[in-house]
Amino acid sequence: MTTSRPSTRTTPPARKDTGVPSARVAGEALLRVAQRLERLLGGLAAEHGLTAFQARALRALHDTSSQSALARQLGCTASRVSIVTGELEARGLVRRVAAVSDRRMRVARPTEEGSRVVDAIGAGLNARSPLSTALSEDEVVALYGLLAEVEAAPED
């Protein structure tokens, strides 16, 4: 189902010669939106006594189990993942269990309380995120496609 909302968006400054936003202007807008989302996530995470990074790690643990995969997803080192996983475990939000593929390995999994916290933060994000409140479903899909292309572009 596609939802349509009246547009309340303002147009960012365009290049004077063509009226089309430059990549720089688009990048700056993207950074401002990312900062806004980070502040929102930080506020919601703080309601549960977490940092934004801890909340992101807890959420990511639903999808991945290896320290290296989690580190890649979060854009940090494996040692940082180990530290944050330990912090979450100490709070009772994560437990370490034997890996299915190799019983000698331990993997982190959210506890029932950890899953409840992830769901609560997710609900808050869904209700208050500009991605949910300012864009239609079709626009979110299109934005995701564009961001996936940018994310997949090779780094210099």
Side-chain angles (χ1 to χ4, degrees):
M1 176 178 165
T2 301
T3 56
S4 180
R5 294 182 179 91
S7 179
T8 58
R9 289 175 251 152
T10 58
T11 305
R15 289 193 294 194
K16 291 178 184 169
D17 56 342
T18 65
V20 176
S22 67
R24 190 201 85 201
V25 168
E28 289 170 355
L30 181 60
L31 289 172
R32 286 190 303 275
V33 170
Q35 289 168 341
R36 183 174 172 187
L37 292 172
E38 186 73 19
R39 284 191 307 272
L40 176 58
L41 176 59
L44 291 166
E47 292 175 11
H48 299 276
L50 299 174
T51 66
F53 186 79
Q54 288 171 325
R56 288 181 57 226
L58 185 58
R59 171 62 187 90
L61 284 169
H62 280 273
D63 300 329
T64 189
S65 58
S66 79
Q67 298 278 78
S68 59
L70 190 58
R72 279 191 305 278
Q73 185 173 345
L74 296 172
C76 68
T77 63
S79 62
R80 176 80 197 275
V81 167
S82 182
I83 291 167
V84 77
T85 301
E87 293 167 349
L88 294 170
E89 186 176 32
R91 297 268 322 273
L93 301 174
V94 165
R95 71 181 183 298
R96 295 178 200 254
V97 298
V100 174
S101 61
D102 184 346
R103 305 299 284 173
R104 297 170 294 175
M105 289 179 39
R106 308 288 286 168
V107 294
R109 287 283 179 248
T111 62
E112 188 175 315
E113 176 65 9
S115 293
R116 188 193 65 73
V117 168
V118 166
D119 291 345
I121 292 171
L125 283 170
N126 192 49
R128 296 170 37 198
S129 168
L131 299 178
S132 301
T133 61
L135 299 178
S136 71
E137 229 176 74
D138 287 343
E139 289 170 325
V140 170
V141 169
L143 176 61
Y144 178 79
L146 293 170
L147 291 173
E149 285 184 45
V150 171
E151 190 176 28
E155 292 186 32
D156 288 340

